[in-house]
Amino acid sequence: MSKRRNHDAGFKARVALEALKGERTVSELAAEYGVHPTMIHQWKKALLEGASGIVEHGGKKKAEVDEETVRSQHAKIGELVVANDFLSRKLKPWTGK
């Protein structure tokens, strides 16, 4: 039984672009790269579906930051720091340090 291979995204994109160019058949590409033709068709389809998102959004998506969430997280961090300091002071007599 053969072991499944995981191909990185760069390899998949390269093979899908070659398939999209149409200079060689999918069968030829499959033989050259050692993958099943069905996989090449799937990668090509994924490339075409994902291309519209890249052009539409200008590449990488920007992280949406909710200012209220940031403030609440900072407040929680402050509370935890105060609690940690308090507990470490109360623990010192017990440890002898």
Side-chain angles (χ1 to χ4, degrees), residues 75-89:
K76 184 67 174 176
I77 291 170
E79 291 173 17
L80 293 173
V81 167
V82 170
N84 191 22
D85 290 342
F86 174 78
L87 292 173
S88 67
R89 280 184 272 136

Side-chain angles (χ1 to χ4, degrees), residues 37-56:
T38 304
M39 295 305 302
I40 295 176
H41 285 295
Q42 289 175 354
W43 297 341
K44 181 180 171 183
K45 182 179 176 183
L47 178 67
L48 290 172
E49 289 173 355
S52 63
I54 293 171
V55 175
E56 183 177 310

